[in-house]
């Protein structure tokens, strides 16, 4: 699991974070990466959600 703040995602006074999560696929068993751009306050909730 990774959390990264990217300078290009900062628009005006709003700061955004790009979060990347590795999830195991139930069908194949392979790992896939899901990513989302959100405010830093929401990252921990998103990471803990399955």
């Amino acid at each position: 699991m990774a959390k990264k703040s990217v300078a290009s995602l900062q628009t005006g006074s709003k700061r955004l974070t790009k979060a990347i999560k590795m999830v195991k696929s139930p069908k194949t068993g392979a790992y896939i990466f899901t990513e989302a751009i959100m405010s830093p306050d929401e990252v921990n909730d998103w990471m803990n959600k399955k």
Side-chain angles (χ1 to χ4, degrees):
M1 291 188 241
K3 180 174 134 179
K4 179 179 177 182
S5 292
V6 180
S8 63
L9 295 177
Q10 296 175 3
T11 57
S13 63
K14 189 169 187 177
R15 194 167 152 234
L16 299 174
T17 301
K18 181 178 184 179
I20 302 170
K21 179 169 50 170
M22 189 167 68
V23 181
K24 190 170 186 176
S25 173
K27 291 183 181 179
T28 62
Y31 286 95
I32 57 172
F33 292 93
T34 58
E35 55 184 64
I37 298 173
M38 64 194 77
S39 70
D41 302 334
E42 301 170 352
V43 173
N44 286 334
D45 294 334
W46 184 76
M47 287 288 192
N48 294 330
K49 186 172 66 169
K50 286 192 175 189

